[in-house]
Amino acid sequence: MKEILVIGAGAAGIMAALAAAESGARVHLFEKNDIVGKKMGITGKGRCNLTNSCSMADFIAHTPGHGKFLFSAYQQFTNVDLLDKLNGWGLLTKEERGGRIFPQSDSAIEVRKLFYHKLCRKGIELHLKEGVKAVKAWGNRFVVQTVSKTYEGDACIITTGGMSYPVTGSTGDGYGFAKTLGHEVTELKPSLIPFTTAEDWPHDLSGLSLKNVEGSLWRRGKKIDAHFGEMLFTHFGVSGPIILMLSTAAAHKKSAAFPLELRIDLKPALSKEKLDARLRRDFEKYIRKEAVNGLKDLLPQRLIPVLLDQAGIAKDCPVNQISREQRQRLVEAFKALPLTVTGTRPISEAIVTAGGVSVKEIDPKTMESKIVPGLYFAGEVIDIDAFTGGYNLQAAFSTGFVAGTAAAAKEG
């Protein structure tokens, strides 16, 4: 019986272990935490965004970090395959906005417990609270040294995750293992992460959420990327779904070196002409009010002073004294409220890590190393990363399934 060593019991490691066991191998699964799937517990704000209902082609399109590398893995194990498996095990799921798939219970704990019981029932030897210190290849065998013991196997699958959220166990160990075994690790950057800003006023608006706005990222007058949806002001800058997606563009595009300009379109559904007409109507309605009260139908109260300051209008300026030129500057502020992005929060706060083991050195059909036969990689440790919405977890499940199946099937 083939013996396979899987390092890391996140989504990729769990699926790799299960796939290898289902293919007849004896499997050891090593995890430094005392539970499996710890990082899954923070996806979907603790509800576990398992996958997405979109086509696999759309999965690739939503994966700016080497999405095409996943083509074969997505053919072998799709979102439908994942849900068939989970539903078959008794997990009820539901679809929400944007095609996001969650457990019907909204509980990541239920998902983790389900995976734990399946691992136990498949006879997989779970080594919880047994972190791996070193991985070596000796001939056609692999040696894994943990904090307490040394193990040998016919194949090794590294699924240790990235550098983000180290409290969940993702501390970058796998990158060290990969380098020791001769692999290149590309530059590691935070992705899906909030921005820090040079301006102080976001701090004053901390906690204010804006919906149905468009954020665009610019450098030297050239647009890098833009997204529509929700954002949030924080004590350090800006966050929220559209900011996280813009951070992915900043991580992947060479032209996106900091500092960058963020422009917020507060009324993307209105042209400048229509917005100006709306302002004129509101100013007529509040003609006897001060400027700070003349915009209350268009903006959250806390944001009004920021817009007025951007347009060069005093808060106590009577509405009937606002000039046409000032109104035009106000329109510009509505359509492109500027912020200077100085950088991101630390990589430890990123949802995913951009960069990792080079995809050039991994066979996309099997996830096997092109350098060390019998060595496999799966999940975030590889240089792949996607937007939010279930895309990253599906990538982990698919690459894990492929790696586990291939490792068990390979003739030694």
Side-chain angles (χ1 to χ4, degrees):
M1 180 182 288
K2 201 162 189 182
E3 196 153 7
I4 296 175
L5 313 173
V6 182
I7 306 172
I14 290 169
M15 192 57 72
L18 289 170
E22 288 169 357
S23 297
R26 182 185 178 192
V27 181
H28 292 267
L29 178 57
F30 302 94
E31 172 54 51
K32 65 172 68 172
N33 291 308
D34 58 356
I35 58 173
V36 301
K38 191 169 184 178
K39 192 175 179 182
M40 282 194 289
I42 64 172
T43 66
K45 297 180 179 178
R47 297 193 297 131
C48 197
N49 186 182
L50 292 160
T51 185
N52 197 285
S53 65
C54 69
S55 69
M56 301 320 292
D58 282 339
F59 268 91
I60 291 172
H62 283 87
T63 307
H66 297 111
K68 291 181 180 178
F69 171 80
L70 296 168
F71 181 80
S72 180
Y74 283 157
Q75 281 189 318
Q76 295 178 63
F77 193 74
T78 69
N79 50 356
V80 174
D81 294 326
L82 172 66
L83 292 176
D84 283 348
K85 187 179 286 287
L86 294 175
N87 296 158
W89 292 345
L91 182 72
L92 299 177
T93 55
K94 60 181 178 179
E95 181 175 341
E96 295 188 3
R97 179 179 55 83
R100 292 168 169 80
I101 305 296
F102 294 89
Q104 202 170 90
S105 64
D106 286 330
S107 171
I109 294 175
E110 180 190 11
V111 177
R112 288 206 310 250
K113 285 183 176 179
L114 176 65
F115 277 125
Y116 174 76
H117 290 308
K118 294 306 293 186
L119 290 166
C120 293
R121 289 185 191 129
K122 289 293 180 183
I124 292 162
E125 295 193 35
L126 269 173
H127 301 270
L128 298 178
K129 294 193 290 187
E130 192 170 352
V132 172
K133 295 298 183 182
V135 182
K136 297 178 182 178
W138 285 353
N140 60 352
R141 298 280 289 172
F142 289 86
V143 176
V144 166
Q145 181 183 346
T146 72
V147 292
S148 58
K149 195 175 176 182
T150 298
Y151 301 83
E152 285 191 35
D154 302 293
C156 179
I157 307 175
I158 297 177
T159 62
T160 47
M163 290 282 287
S164 56
Y165 282 102
V167 69
T168 65
S170 297
T171 52
D173 300 344
Y175 303 131
F177 302 151
K179 287 179 180 178
T180 300
L181 293 164
H183 273 273
E184 176 195 355
V185 174
T186 62
E187 183 182 3
L188 304 174
K189 296 180 180 180
S191 184
L192 298 178
I193 189 166
F195 284 142
T196 55
T197 60
E199 295 81 2
D200 292 330
W201 60 260
H203 177 276
D204 300 329
L205 300 180
S206 184
L208 176 63
S209 176
L210 301 179
K211 295 182 179 180
N212 302 319
V213 297
E214 182 181 271
S216 56
L217 208 56
W218 299 72
R219 180 167 172 79
R220 295 175 180 169
K222 292 185 178 180
K223 185 189 289 188
I224 296 168
D225 201 7
H227 289 282
F228 173 85
E230 187 175 348
M231 66 169 289
L232 174 73
F233 294 106
T234 70
H235 67 281
F236 53 76
V238 286
S239 186
I242 64 172
I243 301 301
L244 298 183
M245 288 190 284
L246 287 173
S247 75
T248 298
H252 287 285
K253 296 190 178 182
K254 293 180 180 179
S255 61
F258 297 111
L260 298 168
E261 183 186 359
L262 172 66
R263 299 178 187 175
I264 306 167
D265 186 344
L266 297 166
K267 297 294 176 183
L270 297 178
S271 66
K272 289 183 180 180
E273 293 74 21
K274 289 183 177 179
L275 180 56
D276 184 52
R278 172 64 191 273
L279 281 173
R280 282 187 275 117
R281 288 198 302 272
D282 280 19
F283 286 175
E284 184 66 29
K285 178 180 177 182
Y286 297 112
I287 196 166
R288 299 184 185 279
K289 301 286 188 181
E290 293 181 343
V292 73
N293 295 314
L295 297 172
K296 62 183 181 181
D297 293 347
L298 278 169
L299 289 172
Q301 195 66 40
R302 292 169 65 194
L303 187 57
I304 292 174
V306 175
L307 267 287
L308 291 173
D309 183 65
Q310 184 67 27
I313 303 171
K315 291 188 293 183
D316 58 357
C317 175
V319 166
N320 62 9
Q321 291 183 21
I322 295 176
S323 68
R324 181 179 183 278
E325 182 184 351
Q326 287 176 315
R327 197 179 69 244
Q328 291 304 311
R329 290 203 300 266
L330 196 53
V331 168
E332 292 297 329
F334 264 97
K335 297 299 289 181
L337 181 63
L339 277 167
T340 305
V341 177
T342 55
T344 69
R345 296 291 288 172
I347 194 169
S348 60
E349 296 180 25
I351 294 177
V352 296
T353 304
V357 180
S358 174
V359 296
K360 296 177 182 177
E361 299 173 349
I362 301 171
D363 184 342
K365 294 181 180 178
T366 61
M367 298 298 135
E368 185 176 18
S369 165
K370 294 179 180 179
I371 297 173
V372 184
L375 176 66
Y376 299 78
F377 297 94
E380 196 181 342
V381 72
I382 303 173
D383 185 6
I384 51 173
D385 65 283
F387 292 136
T388 57
Y391 306 109
N392 287 294
L393 263 188
Q394 181 65 50
F397 287 132
S398 292
T399 54
F401 176 86
V402 169
T405 302
K410 184 173 181 176
E411 295 181 4

